[in-house]
Amino acid sequence: MHPKRRPLIAGNWKMNKGGVTGIQLAHQIVELKKETPHVDLLIAPPFTVLSAVAHEIEHHGILLAAQNMHGKPSGAFTGEVSADMLKEAGCTWVILGHSERRHVFGETDAEIAIKVTHGLGSALNTCLCVGETLAEREAGRTLEVVRRQFDAVIDALAADPSEEAIAYEPVWAIGTGKNASPQDAEDVHSAIRAWLAEKSPALAQRTHILYGGSANPSNAESLLGMPNVDGLLIGGASLDIDSFGAIARIAERLARPAS
Ligand code: PGA
């Protein structure tokens, strides 16, 4: 972690905790936030529970994200949700380009770029996800693939002065229990930082680069110990307050100024 960027610990609940259990978890995260003042906590519940979670976390400094949105402001798009709807529900962030959106739902770089542009234009902070598949890694194409995904959105990111995040999530590490080694993560994160700096040193300085993919309490410290790992995007381990809390407390310990 870099001393100038507050760690961002993000929970992507995916298609879990869409009702009462989501509100309960949000309540537990409100309590956790009191113990972790030097860490930004972000949660991304399913659409159906966003408003209720927003109510639960209001005034507690917890960031609320949606997991996806449509790239147009309104219209005949059955089943979709717009940026303004997310803001009305209380979101200030949106996760875009998650590997499940790319690989399960077939979203392309071009579609994701439209969403990023629209999200930023609608004053939502975006967390863009990038990452290679196992076949791409084994073929030595990791940086080429991540660069392609990055290049599709960099102009939109650079044009916007707000805080943004890029989550490096190797597809082979998501939900598999196999995390990238801290050094493998750092290699990709430092490449992303350098690409951001080519565009704008200020953008490189303010962008949080998160690691995601089987992050858990056992590997969080070594991942967060890397200079360009500014936080974690956590799936499975974010659904349980014990594991999410343990990770947030590790980040707090690393970020707390020495007394
Ligand atoms: P995981 O998911 O922590 O369960 O691997 C991470 C993600 O998909 O954001």
Side-chain angles (χ1 to χ4, degrees), residues 12 14 98-100 129 169 173-177 212-215 233-237:
N12 174 11
K14 308 193 180 183
H98 188 276
S99 81
E100 285 144 24
C129 301
E169 299 204 306
I174 294 178
T176 59
S214 297
L233 179 55
I234 308 157

Side-chain angles (χ1 to χ4, degrees), residues 102 107-114 145 148-150 152-153:
R102 293 176 189 267
E107 285 187 17
T108 63
D109 285 335
E111 285 164 342
I112 293 161
I114 289 169
V145 169
R148 191 201 72 225
Q149 295 168 336
F150 172 92
V153 301

